[in-house]
Amino acid sequence: MADPRARFWVITAAALVGFTVTLALGIWQWGRAQEKLALHEAIERRNAEAPLDERSLLLNATLEEQVHRPVVLRGVWVPRHTVFLDNRQMQGRPGFYVVTPLKLQGSDAAVLVERGWAPRNFVDRQKLPAVETPAGVIEVRGRLAPPPAKLYEFTTAGAGPIRQNLDLAQLRKESGLALLDIAVQQTGAPSEGLLRDWPEVASGASKNYGYAFQWWALCALIAILYGWFQFIAPRRKALRA
């Protein structure tokens, strides 16, 4: 660009745009980190609340707002509708998440319980792990959770005890059970052939903080380079002339 003044203002405009965009992106990532921290704090507060029993669980109209809250439920297992969710890991080992409906005591309603993890038999892939399912009324301690997360699969949700994913509407139809829209993740020591070393819920805010500092570092670099090449370097050159 022949005109030095025009070149100056074009570079200034480009630097201003870059500075503004990177500054704003850093602020946005910082805000996302604060949102995640607030959500994590809310989860921690729910974890510290008094456990819900089966009666208070059924009376609660906003179950989605109670996720991660502890529960102590009494009911009866419905083992014929147990689902073994494949390709789930615990302690770095592949296996199954074992999910069994629990028919709540004193009600026709039932809730899906992620009872724990069991290893897979890689010699006979259709062989189910030995999982004990006590008969009669039992007590389950755990925390409220969304229905089991789905993994990618090439086909629709399958049938039978071993499945890649669990479709809640399909299981309602298959079982005839009045399943709630929320699940329970059973906690406690290993028992009944199952591990319960569930992943801890992390805020994930550190990743957003990292992104924020990266954007702000780029913002600072744009400002430094602009100041150097637009003001300091030309002045040094003029003094040497």
Side-chain angles (χ1 to χ4, degrees), residues 114-196:
E114 295 181 65
R115 297 173 58 193
W117 175 93
R120 208 188 206 300
N121 187 321
F122 290 99
V123 176
D124 183 357
R125 295 185 63 84
Q126 296 305 310
K127 185 175 182 180
L128 298 177
V131 175
E132 300 172 19
T133 304
V137 177
I138 53 93
E139 183 177 272
V140 173
R141 292 181 175 271
R143 54 176 172 258
L144 291 177
K150 293 186 176 183
L151 302 181
Y152 181 79
E153 61 182 342
F154 293 101
T155 59
T156 56
I162 298 178
R163 308 186 190 189
Q164 180 77 355
N165 291 308
L166 191 153
D167 185 279
L168 190 57
Q170 178 181 327
L171 190 61
R172 280 197 189 104
K173 187 176 180 179
E174 288 177 13
S175 64
L177 295 170
L179 291 167
L180 300 179
D181 290 326
I182 202 164
V184 171
Q185 201 170 68
Q186 188 174 357
T187 55
S191 64
E192 300 168 352
L194 296 164
L195 290 178
R196 300 187 181 94

Side-chain angles (χ1 to χ4, degrees), residues 24-70:
L25 286 171
I27 293 172
W28 175 69
Q29 288 289 350
W30 187 273
R32 288 285 297 139
Q34 299 305 307
E35 291 173 4
K36 288 183 177 181
L37 284 176
L39 178 59
H40 189 257
E41 289 172 1
I43 290 172
E44 292 296 315
R45 286 196 298 271
R46 289 178 193 171
N47 284 334
E49 291 180 8
L52 296 171
D53 60 15
E54 60 276 3
R55 189 173 181 179
S56 55
L57 178 66
L58 293 172
L59 290 173
N60 198 301
T62 54
L63 290 176
E64 67 278 1
E65 296 179 1
Q66 303 297 326
V67 171
H68 303 291
R69 186 167 176 179

Side-chain angles (χ1 to χ4, degrees), residues 205-215:
S206 58
K207 183 183 293 186
N208 295 94
Y209 282 135
Y211 290 150
F213 285 119
Q214 288 177 18
W215 283 119

Side-chain angles (χ1 to χ4, degrees), residues 78-107:
V78 188
R80 65 184 178 277
H81 296 298
T82 294
V83 174
F84 295 79
L85 293 177
D86 202 0
N87 296 314
R88 267 54 175 194
Q89 291 194 5
M90 190 167 286
Q91 298 179 351
R93 299 165 59 197
F96 300 107
Y97 280 176
V98 181
V99 183
T100 303
L102 179 74
K103 191 170 183 297
L104 299 175
Q105 188 177 38
S107 171

